Amino acid sequence: MERRRSTDEQMRLRTIVERMADGIVIVSRDGVILFANPAAERLFGRSASDLTGRDFGFPAVAGETTEVEVVRPQQQTVTAELRTVDTEWDQEPAHLISLRDITDRKRAEERAAQLDRERLGRIEAEAASQAKSDFLALMSHELRTPLNAVLGYAELLDMGVGGSLSPEQRQQVGRITASGRHLLGLVNEVLDLAKVEAGQLALEEGVGHSRGVVDQAFALIQPIAEGRGIALTAQTEAHGEAVFQGDDNRVRQILVNLLNNAVKFTNPGGKVTLEWGRTTKPDRDARLLGPRAWHFFRVKDTGIGIPPDKLATIFDPFVQVHGGHARTAEGSGLGLAISRRLARLMKGDLTVRSELDKGSTFTLWLPDASGRAKETAKWRQESPDTAARLEGLGEIGRVLLREVDPLLNAFIARLQEGPIVEGAREMRTCQLGAHTGTFVADVACTLAAIEESRGEPSAVVTDATQIQTVIAERHGAARALLGWTPNTLTREWSLLCDEMKRVIRLGGPGFSEESLAEAFVIIDRITEQATETSVRALNRASQNQPGPELIRRSDGGPG
Ligand code: ADP
């Protein structure tokens, strides 16, 4: 009698459960699935017969509500709200677990939060950049304009336009002019620093000639040095013409600042020397990238020196080491800060060595251009066709590198929209974009390295190729975990190849036909190689995969 009632109850329970819109699974106390309703079959993407007998794999605690991820075949996940109540099944105590699909709600929440974050970030960035631009505009206009007027009127007075001046008045007008010039210099320096910090300082990228820059700087400093009784000399060990890569106006500005300081902080009778040349062994303290030849300008003085504990801070804005009598030497404490930033913008550096009471040596490092200038000319002459094909690959690589983020977004959007990957819409952005950004960045570097090595085998190109192989292998193995087929993977690579070419085409109307064609041939070759490697890795990984995971704790869930 008892047994019959319980069988009836079970039948009723089953009927109710079968009709429920939520996924329901009955799990034994030791975690084995005993029953799954049709909604659960849809949620798990598996039949009831496939589910029953499997380990549920998630601790069921009666009365608890948890957010979980239901793992479907091919590793797609669905977010669900899991609730557990205790029940009886076949006269045994069991758990009735209901699972409600909340993926859409979750996605909408995430999207709203993401949009909010992006909006806030944009507003903040725009406000910061607007504040910087306003500041720059204010500095350049509101301060410089009246200052120039002050200087202009002082000059008019000095010329006697408003009537003749007594010697005393003339002296006072002279002081107005000197202070005005000093202030204008200061405003210009603050403006320069603000521009560098705001990333708004445009530098000319070119090849500069050392001799010319040195002559111009000397023309400005020689009279000051003579006035202070300091011997100023220039010397070079460089045979032939020494050339550097950088903006020669800015290099001259740095040299003028270094020479000016050297003269300022050296007592009369002292010496200031400017040496320049080329080396492949720069000082260790110079923050320079890559083993290559460097051009240096070295300003040495026999002046008062800088205490060791102050050496690190003199490149910070507004730092002045010397108080007392040396402070009479005018300055703002901005020159070195600007100079080092400029040097680093030109891919070089500015370093210092100094000994108190003996003197200081400041060295400006810049990429050397002598070898490059000569070799490029020779290369163009000897192999005009190769030069035409390869020159410009570096620039194409730079465009690709600059556009990695938008490229990645477009690539993911196309994967999600298009028919290339089944179920891509349900996959997370990070799953879809995995490895791709790194791969594209490496392709960009390969293009630059091929131009740099003029198509000859080089360590950098070999290195880049090996990195691509590693990425392609990892990518294939990761796609195997998602249950992708070789066909899907091949289509994904071809889509990436298309995207890289699209970005390049958009990025440079100025690229020559030859270099563009060469870049596309290289990209095709790299993609082909990567496709083969990753399909091999996918096949290998698919052969030894463990049994499927059914459910996992959600990252964003409360429990
Ligand atoms: P400024 O010269 O306008 O004060 P800088 O940024 O050019 O600003 O220099 C910062 C400080 O570094 C100087 O005030 C000075 O104390 C120290 N300094 C720079 N060059 C030398 C030098 N050649 N010898 C001694 N001290 C120097």
Side-chain angles (χ1 to χ4, degrees):
M1 190 65 191
E2 189 59 25
R3 182 165 174 76
R4 186 177 160 90
R5 211 177 67 217
S6 119
T7 317
D8 284 351
E9 268 173 20
Q10 173 122 7
M11 283 310 290
R12 261 204 314 276
L13 178 61
R14 190 179 271 265
T15 318
I16 296 168
V17 162
E18 294 269 0
R19 289 185 190 151
M20 282 178 76
D22 285 348
I24 303 284
V25 282
I26 308 283
V27 175
S28 72
R29 282 285 158 104
D30 49 7
V32 176
I33 300 177
L34 305 172
F35 167 83
N37 74 346
E41 289 183 307
R42 285 193 295 277
L43 196 65
F44 280 92
R46 298 171 194 273
S47 65
S49 58
D50 182 15
L51 286 168
T52 44
R54 273 186 201 274
D55 191 15
F56 185 59
F58 192 80
V61 181
E64 216 176 63
T65 305
T66 320
E67 215 168 83
V68 293
E69 282 186 354
V70 174
V71 186
R72 290 180 164 170
Q74 306 208 346
Q75 294 289 304
Q76 294 158 17
T77 55
V78 182
T79 313
E81 199 172 72
L82 178 149
R83 276 172 215 220
T84 307
V85 289
D86 284 339
T87 186
E88 248 186 34
W89 196 260
D90 284 341
Q91 282 109 48
E92 296 289 336
H95 301 295
L96 184 149
I97 295 175
S98 70
L99 292 151
R100 176 165 297 173
D101 185 348
I102 54 164
T103 312
D104 287 345
R105 190 185 89 197
K106 208 59 204 155
R107 212 177 274 156
E109 278 170 13
E110 272 169 18
R111 183 90 193 111
Q114 171 76 9
L115 285 175
D116 255 5
R117 277 196 300 275
E118 283 174 8
R119 196 172 50 83
L120 277 178
R122 243 191 342 265
I123 291 173
E124 272 170 27
E126 277 165 10
S129 137
Q130 188 59 43
K132 277 180 192 157
S133 311
D134 290 351
F135 170 71
L136 293 179
L138 182 93
M139 286 298 278
S140 58
H141 189 73
E142 302 297 325
L143 290 177
R144 283 205 291 194
T145 311
L147 250 177
N148 278 318
V150 169
L151 284 170
Y153 282 115
E155 232 163 78
L156 289 179
L157 282 177
D158 193 41
M159 285 158 66
V161 172
S164 60
L165 299 182
S166 69
E168 202 178 328
Q169 283 169 330
R170 192 172 294 278
Q171 200 185 16
Q172 282 159 0
V173 170
R175 287 198 190 125
I176 294 177
T177 311
S179 296
R181 288 223 178 94
H182 175 61
L183 195 52
L184 190 61
L186 187 62
V187 169
N188 284 338
E189 276 188 322
V190 172
L191 191 64
D192 257 1
L193 186 68
K195 271 192 188 163
V196 175
E197 303 274 278
Q200 286 184 8
L201 194 97
L203 289 175
E204 297 263 323
E205 277 197 34
V207 173
H209 298 260
S210 318
R211 170 65 73 182
V213 180
V214 170
D215 286 348
Q216 289 167 359
F218 263 49
L220 289 172
I221 302 294
Q222 192 82 54
I224 307 175
E226 271 170 25
R228 280 185 51 79
I230 288 162
L232 183 62
T233 49
Q235 61 194 52
T236 178
E237 299 154 5
H239 303 294
E241 202 173 31
V243 278
F244 56 85
Q245 258 170 267
D247 182 330
D248 46 8
N249 282 323
R250 295 299 179 177
V251 172
R252 190 188 57 231
Q253 176 184 349
I254 300 173
L255 291 184
V256 166
N257 179 43
L258 296 180
L259 290 167
N260 202 18
N261 278 348
V263 169
K264 207 160 57 172
F265 297 106
T266 300
N267 290 323
K271 276 198 290 192
V272 171
T273 323
L274 171 57
E275 294 169 3
W276 72 92
R278 180 177 185 269
T279 179
T280 47
K281 291 198 180 76
D283 295 350
R284 275 165 187 263
D285 45 345
R287 216 182 68 175
L288 300 169
L289 269 184
R292 52 170 305 160
W294 298 94
H295 182 290
F296 62 87
F297 289 102
R298 188 163 280 150
V299 177
K300 283 186 186 170
D301 65 54
T302 57
I304 59 178
I306 302 163
D309 60 318
K310 295 287 183 338
L311 277 179
T313 57
I314 55 167
F315 295 102
D316 293 339
F318 301 109
V319 169
Q320 294 185 312
V321 179
H322 305 96
H325 83 102
R327 262 316 280 117
T328 57
E330 288 176 350
S332 60
L334 282 173
L336 289 178
I338 295 169
S339 298
R340 176 174 266 185
R341 282 163 174 74
L342 286 174
R344 288 187 175 168
L345 272 179
M346 291 186 279
K347 301 192 182 72
D349 200 4
L350 178 61
T351 56
V352 60
R353 294 199 177 156
S354 186
E355 221 179 309
L356 215 48
D357 297 329
K358 292 242 167 84
S360 311
T361 302
F362 283 85
T363 311
L364 168 64
W365 305 94
L366 292 166
D368 174 77
S370 53
R372 199 185 166 81
K374 251 186 267 156
E375 280 168 24
T376 308
K378 196 165 145 222
W379 184 44
R380 279 194 197 130
Q381 200 178 17
E382 284 174 1
S383 348
D385 292 344
T386 321
R389 271 191 302 118
L390 303 190
E391 270 195 291
L393 285 185
E395 195 45 43
I396 294 177
R398 271 187 285 282
V399 166
L400 197 55
L401 202 56
R402 197 184 62 210
E403 298 293 321
V404 169
D405 277 347
L407 184 151
L408 204 57
N409 289 338
F411 170 71
I412 291 170
R414 280 187 68 187
L415 275 184
Q416 282 173 333
E417 279 158 19
I420 293 181
V421 183
E422 205 184 305
R425 204 175 274 283
E426 273 77 44
M427 285 169 66
R428 291 209 206 108
T429 308
C430 63
Q431 264 178 331
L432 284 173
H435 311 117
T436 314
T438 325
F439 188 83
V440 174
D442 203 67
V443 171
C445 294
T446 310
L447 291 174
I450 291 176
E451 177 177 355
E452 191 98 334
S453 64
R454 311 214 154 90
E456 299 292 325
S458 85
V460 186
V461 177
T462 312
D463 192 43
T465 314
Q466 281 168 358
I467 292 171
Q468 284 148 23
T469 308
V470 172
I471 299 173
E473 255 171 23
R474 299 300 320 140
H475 189 69
R479 290 316 197 207
L481 278 178
L482 298 178
W484 285 28
T485 63
N487 263 342
T488 316
L489 186 58
T490 308
R491 285 202 299 268
E492 187 197 27
W493 278 113
S494 133
L495 178 69
L496 180 63
C497 181
D498 284 356
E499 277 302 315
M500 287 194 272
K501 290 180 183 171
R502 190 181 61 83
V503 158
I504 291 171
R505 258 189 231 106
L506 283 179
F511 299 140
S512 74
E513 281 300 314
E514 288 101 323
S515 63
L516 212 52
E518 183 68 14
F520 287 178
V521 167
I522 295 170
I523 289 174
D524 281 338
R525 216 165 41 219
I526 291 177
T527 319
E528 221 170 88
Q529 192 76 43
T531 311
E532 273 176 29
T533 309
S534 65
V535 165
R536 261 202 311 274
L538 175 123
N539 286 334
R540 246 195 334 267
S542 310
Q543 278 161 14
N544 39 32
Q545 272 197 29
E549 179 191 24
L550 285 181
I551 209 151
R552 68 166 79 116
R553 197 172 285 279
S554 164
D555 299 339

